[in-house]
Structure formats: C-alpha cells, structure tokens
Amino acid sequence: MQDGKLTKIGVTGNKTGTFAPRPGTQANPWKIGTPTDTDVIAYLDGTTLHIEGSGAMKDFNSGTPGSSPWGANITSVVISSGVTSIGEHAFTNCGSLESVTIGSGVKSIGSSAFAYCGSLTSIAFKGNVPALLVENPDAGWTVFCFG
C-alpha cells in the first residue's frame, strides 16, 4: 500500500484501487450527530471509545440490544467537551464498560444510556453533573444517583 492506494497482484495482472479504512477508526469514524450526523463522531482506540465534535449525539434503537455501532466490548468512553448530549441507549448492553469520562459540554444524558452496563464502576464529570433520565430502575438497570 502506498499513498492510500492498495495494490493487488493477481493472475490477471496488477490492479489498483482506493483503500477505505475500517469503520470506527480515527481515519473513518462513525457519524453519530444529530441533526447533522457529521457534527459528532466516534472512533475506537483499542477498547476506548472516543466521542468528539460539536453538538448532540443521536439516539439509538431501544429494541435492538447493542444497536450502537461500537458493540459491547468497549471498556472505557471519553466524551469531549464539545458534545452536548449523550443519546438514548448509546451504551445499552455494553457489559465490559468500566469507566466513562464526560466532558463539560454535556448537559443531558438520554434514557437508558447506560442500561445493563454491569461492569461500570466510574463516571467522571469534567463539568456540572447533567440531568439524568431514569425511567424504570426496577427493571435491573444500573442506576446512578447524584446529590
């Protein structure tokens, strides 16, 4: 590979095509903003998910466990100060998630954003604690109470 081009040598001769980085990398992040999807992006660095940009994060499907594109194997999340909200069900069923750092720009956290995150032991807020929406703590969700 040279200069973003992938060269393939086969029995029919040489072929050159454009190399597309794997989705979820810094070079090809997931677009998760709303109302404009490119306003907020996410990418993995090992098992750490970085969420960056300016604006709100979209909501994810409550009917599909793990409907977010990063899957359930992330261990930490770092949300930059330009992000203003965490979407509903953003990390639902991320059973390996242990820690979250939330930037100072986050003002709200969507319903069930951290539902069924049984390994989550640390949430650090770099600003004021945003409003948390908890709809049904008796359903086995991890509930966080801040005074």
Side-chain angles (χ1 to χ4, degrees), residues 5-6 16 23 50 60 62 68 84-85 91 96 99 103 123 127 137 140-141:
K5 298 283 185 179
L6 179 64
T16 303
H50 296 269
F60 293 90
S62 65
S68 55
T84 59
S85 70
F91 307 104
S96 300
S99 67
I123 298 180
W141 301 347

PDB file of all heavy atoms in Angstrom, residues 5-6 16 23 50 60 62 68 84-85 91 96 99 103 123 127 137 140-141:
ATOM      1  N   LYS A   5      -3.378   3.957  -1.527  1.00  0.00           N
ATOM      2  CA  LYS A   5      -3.765   3.041  -2.602  1.00  0.00           C
ATOM      3  C   LYS A   5      -3.347   1.628  -2.225  1.00  0.00           C
ATOM      4  O   LYS A   5      -2.284   1.403  -1.673  1.00  0.00           O
ATOM      5  CB  LYS A   5      -3.081   3.411  -3.922  1.00  0.00           C
ATOM      6  CG  LYS A   5      -3.434   4.772  -4.448  1.00  0.00           C
ATOM      7  CD  LYS A   5      -4.780   4.767  -5.088  1.00  0.00           C
ATOM      8  CE  LYS A   5      -5.041   6.125  -5.724  1.00  0.00           C
ATOM      9  NZ  LYS A   5      -6.305   6.185  -6.370  1.00  0.00           N
ATOM     10  N   LEU A   6      -4.218   0.693  -2.499  1.00  0.00           N
ATOM     11  CA  LEU A   6      -3.950  -0.710  -2.246  1.00  0.00           C
ATOM     12  C   LEU A   6      -3.667  -1.370  -3.595  1.00  0.00           C
ATOM     13  O   LEU A   6      -4.478  -1.288  -4.511  1.00  0.00           O
ATOM     14  CB  LEU A   6      -5.160  -1.367  -1.572  1.00  0.00           C
ATOM     15  CG  LEU A   6      -5.059  -2.842  -1.262  1.00  0.00           C
ATOM     16  CD1 LEU A   6      -3.958  -3.087  -0.231  1.00  0.00           C
ATOM     17  CD2 LEU A   6      -6.380  -3.353  -0.723  1.00  0.00           C
ATOM     18  N   THR A  16      -5.147  -1.615  -9.144  1.00  0.00           N
ATOM     19  CA  THR A  16      -5.001  -0.625  -8.085  1.00  0.00           C
ATOM     20  C   THR A  16      -6.374  -0.069  -7.757  1.00  0.00           C
ATOM     21  O   THR A  16      -7.136   0.262  -8.656  1.00  0.00           O
ATOM     22  CB  THR A  16      -4.069   0.524  -8.531  1.00  0.00           C
ATOM     23  OG1 THR A  16      -2.812  -0.036  -8.909  1.00  0.00           O
ATOM     24  CG2 THR A  16      -3.851   1.523  -7.412  1.00  0.00           C
ATOM     25  N   PRO A  23     -14.323   1.022   9.308  1.00  0.00           N
ATOM     26  CA  PRO A  23     -15.211   1.921  10.045  1.00  0.00           C
ATOM     27  C   PRO A  23     -14.893   1.908  11.543  1.00  0.00           C
ATOM     28  O   PRO A  23     -14.530   0.873  12.099  1.00  0.00           O
ATOM     29  CB  PRO A  23     -16.603   1.353   9.788  1.00  0.00           C
ATOM     30  CG  PRO A  23     -16.467   0.540   8.558  1.00  0.00           C
ATOM     31  CD  PRO A  23     -15.060   0.009   8.562  1.00  0.00           C
ATOM     32  N   HIS A  50     -13.799   7.018  21.739  1.00  0.00           N
ATOM     33  CA  HIS A  50     -13.703   8.476  21.805  1.00  0.00           C
ATOM     34  C   HIS A  50     -14.890   9.064  21.057  1.00  0.00           C
ATOM     35  O   HIS A  50     -15.157   8.672  19.920  1.00  0.00           O
ATOM     36  CB  HIS A  50     -12.403   8.967  21.164  1.00  0.00           C
ATOM     37  CG  HIS A  50     -11.182   8.511  21.887  1.00  0.00           C
ATOM     38  ND1 HIS A  50     -10.602   9.247  22.893  1.00  0.00           N
ATOM     39  CD2 HIS A  50     -10.448   7.374  21.773  1.00  0.00           C
ATOM     40  CE1 HIS A  50      -9.557   8.596  23.362  1.00  0.00           C
ATOM     41  NE2 HIS A  50      -9.448   7.456  22.700  1.00  0.00           N
ATOM     42  N   PHE A  60     -30.161   5.879  19.985  1.00  0.00           N
ATOM     43  CA  PHE A  60     -30.032   4.560  19.381  1.00  0.00           C
ATOM     44  C   PHE A  60     -31.280   3.745  19.667  1.00  0.00           C
ATOM     45  O   PHE A  60     -32.066   4.070  20.546  1.00  0.00           O
ATOM     46  CB  PHE A  60     -28.754   3.873  19.880  1.00  0.00           C
ATOM     47  CG  PHE A  60     -27.520   4.569  19.395  1.00  0.00           C
ATOM     48  CD1 PHE A  60     -26.947   5.593  20.133  1.00  0.00           C
ATOM     49  CD2 PHE A  60     -26.960   4.239  18.174  1.00  0.00           C
ATOM     50  CE1 PHE A  60     -25.834   6.267  19.681  1.00  0.00           C
ATOM     51  CE2 PHE A  60     -25.841   4.911  17.694  1.00  0.00           C
ATOM     52  CZ  PHE A  60     -25.276   5.927  18.454  1.00  0.00           C
ATOM     53  N   SER A  62     -33.866   1.295  21.028  1.00  0.00           N
ATOM     54  CA  SER A  62     -34.058   0.573  22.283  1.00  0.00           C
ATOM     55  C   SER A  62     -34.447  -0.877  22.055  1.00  0.00           C
ATOM     56  O   SER A  62     -34.237  -1.723  22.908  1.00  0.00           O
ATOM     57  CB  SER A  62     -35.130   1.256  23.128  1.00  0.00           C
ATOM     58  OG  SER A  62     -36.384   1.196  22.481  1.00  0.00           O
ATOM     59  N   SER A  68     -25.849   0.407  18.905  1.00  0.00           N
ATOM     60  CA  SER A  68     -24.788   1.354  18.573  1.00  0.00           C
ATOM     61  C   SER A  68     -23.699   0.627  17.798  1.00  0.00           C
ATOM     62  O   SER A  68     -23.489  -0.563  17.989  1.00  0.00           O
ATOM     63  CB  SER A  68     -24.229   1.983  19.852  1.00  0.00           C
ATOM     64  OG  SER A  68     -23.812   0.979  20.738  1.00  0.00           O
ATOM     65  N   THR A  84     -22.843  17.874  23.437  1.00  0.00           N
ATOM     66  CA  THR A  84     -23.818  18.478  24.347  1.00  0.00           C
ATOM     67  C   THR A  84     -24.790  17.489  24.979  1.00  0.00           C
ATOM     68  O   THR A  84     -25.424  17.806  25.979  1.00  0.00           O
ATOM     69  CB  THR A  84     -24.628  19.571  23.624  1.00  0.00           C
ATOM     70  OG1 THR A  84     -25.302  18.978  22.510  1.00  0.00           O
ATOM     71  CG2 THR A  84     -23.719  20.702  23.165  1.00  0.00           C
ATOM     72  N   SER A  85     -24.947  16.305  24.392  1.00  0.00           N
ATOM     73  CA  SER A  85     -25.844  15.311  24.977  1.00  0.00           C
ATOM     74  C   SER A  85     -25.397  13.908  24.592  1.00  0.00           C
ATOM     75  O   SER A  85     -24.752  13.705  23.564  1.00  0.00           O
ATOM     76  CB  SER A  85     -27.292  15.537  24.547  1.00  0.00           C
ATOM     77  OG  SER A  85     -27.447  15.226  23.180  1.00  0.00           O
ATOM     78  N   PHE A  91     -25.084   3.268  25.155  1.00  0.00           N
ATOM     79  CA  PHE A  91     -24.170   2.236  25.643  1.00  0.00           C
ATOM     80  C   PHE A  91     -24.917   1.042  26.242  1.00  0.00           C
ATOM     81  O   PHE A  91     -24.333   0.242  26.965  1.00  0.00           O
ATOM     82  CB  PHE A  91     -23.202   2.852  26.662  1.00  0.00           C
ATOM     83  CG  PHE A  91     -22.507   4.066  26.113  1.00  0.00           C
ATOM     84  CD1 PHE A  91     -22.884   5.342  26.510  1.00  0.00           C
ATOM     85  CD2 PHE A  91     -21.522   3.936  25.144  1.00  0.00           C
ATOM     86  CE1 PHE A  91     -22.276   6.464  25.986  1.00  0.00           C
ATOM     87  CE2 PHE A  91     -20.919   5.056  24.596  1.00  0.00           C
ATOM     88  CZ  PHE A  91     -21.295   6.319  25.026  1.00  0.00           C
ATOM     89  N   SER A  96     -18.882  -4.795  29.158  1.00  0.00           N
ATOM     90  CA  SER A  96     -17.465  -4.652  29.527  1.00  0.00           C
ATOM     91  C   SER A  96     -17.093  -3.221  29.900  1.00  0.00           C
ATOM     92  O   SER A  96     -15.971  -2.972  30.338  1.00  0.00           O
ATOM     93  CB  SER A  96     -16.573  -5.113  28.373  1.00  0.00           C
ATOM     94  OG  SER A  96     -16.819  -6.465  28.072  1.00  0.00           O
ATOM     95  N   SER A  99     -15.513   2.459  32.679  1.00  0.00           N
ATOM     96  CA  SER A  99     -15.383   3.868  33.051  1.00  0.00           C
ATOM     97  C   SER A  99     -15.806   4.780  31.911  1.00  0.00           C
ATOM     98  O   SER A  99     -15.655   4.439  30.735  1.00  0.00           O
ATOM     99  CB  SER A  99     -13.940   4.184  33.458  1.00  0.00           C
ATOM    100  OG  SER A  99     -13.081   4.069  32.347  1.00  0.00           O
ATOM    101  N   GLY A 103     -17.307  15.083  29.150  1.00  0.00           N
ATOM    102  CA  GLY A 103     -16.821  16.449  29.004  1.00  0.00           C
ATOM    103  C   GLY A 103     -17.784  17.487  29.554  1.00  0.00           C
ATOM    104  O   GLY A 103     -18.977  17.224  29.741  1.00  0.00           O
ATOM    105  N   ILE A 123     -17.861   7.042  36.690  1.00  0.00           N
ATOM    106  CA  ILE A 123     -18.282   8.076  35.753  1.00  0.00           C
ATOM    107  C   ILE A 123     -17.684   9.377  36.263  1.00  0.00           C
ATOM    108  O   ILE A 123     -17.969   9.794  37.390  1.00  0.00           O
ATOM    109  CB  ILE A 123     -19.807   8.204  35.653  1.00  0.00           C
ATOM    110  CG1 ILE A 123     -20.423   6.908  35.132  1.00  0.00           C
ATOM    111  CG2 ILE A 123     -20.166   9.363  34.724  1.00  0.00           C
ATOM    112  CD1 ILE A 123     -21.927   6.956  35.011  1.00  0.00           C
ATOM    113  N   GLY A 127     -17.502  18.712  34.096  1.00  0.00           N
ATOM    114  CA  GLY A 127     -18.284  19.925  34.324  1.00  0.00           C
ATOM    115  C   GLY A 127     -19.342  19.628  35.359  1.00  0.00           C
ATOM    116  O   GLY A 127     -19.189  18.729  36.191  1.00  0.00           O
ATOM    117  N   PRO A 137     -35.965   1.908  37.196  1.00  0.00           N
ATOM    118  CA  PRO A 137     -34.826   1.304  37.879  1.00  0.00           C
ATOM    119  C   PRO A 137     -35.107  -0.113  38.370  1.00  0.00           C
ATOM    120  O   PRO A 137     -34.187  -0.866  38.645  1.00  0.00           O
ATOM    121  CB  PRO A 137     -34.559   2.259  39.043  1.00  0.00           C
ATOM    122  CG  PRO A 137     -35.837   2.981  39.246  1.00  0.00           C
ATOM    123  CD  PRO A 137     -36.490   3.059  37.900  1.00  0.00           C
ATOM    124  N   GLY A 140     -33.778  -3.812  36.486  1.00  0.00           N
ATOM    125  CA  GLY A 140     -32.446  -4.375  36.501  1.00  0.00           C
ATOM    126  C   GLY A 140     -31.385  -3.472  35.926  1.00  0.00           C
ATOM    127  O   GLY A 140     -30.274  -3.901  35.675  1.00  0.00           O
ATOM    128  N   TRP A 141     -31.697  -2.218  35.683  1.00  0.00           N
ATOM    129  CA  TRP A 141     -30.726  -1.280  35.148  1.00  0.00           C
ATOM    130  C   TRP A 141     -29.764  -0.843  36.227  1.00  0.00           C
ATOM    131  O   TRP A 141     -30.091  -0.824  37.407  1.00  0.00           O
ATOM    132  CB  TRP A 141     -31.410  -0.039  34.595  1.00  0.00           C
ATOM    133  CG  TRP A 141     -32.399  -0.293  33.507  1.00  0.00           C
ATOM    134  CD1 TRP A 141     -32.588  -1.433  32.799  1.00  0.00           C
ATOM    135  CD2 TRP A 141     -33.354   0.639  33.031  1.00  0.00           C
ATOM    136  NE1 TRP A 141     -33.586  -1.279  31.905  1.00  0.00           N
ATOM    137  CE2 TRP A 141     -34.091  -0.016  32.018  1.00  0.00           C
ATOM    138  CE3 TRP A 141     -33.671   1.941  33.344  1.00  0.00           C
ATOM    139  CZ2 TRP A 141     -35.106   0.598  31.323  1.00  0.00           C
ATOM    140  CZ3 TRP A 141     -34.688   2.556  32.645  1.00  0.00           C
ATOM    141  CH2 TRP A 141     -35.386   1.891  31.640  1.00  0.00           C
TER     142      TRP A 141
END
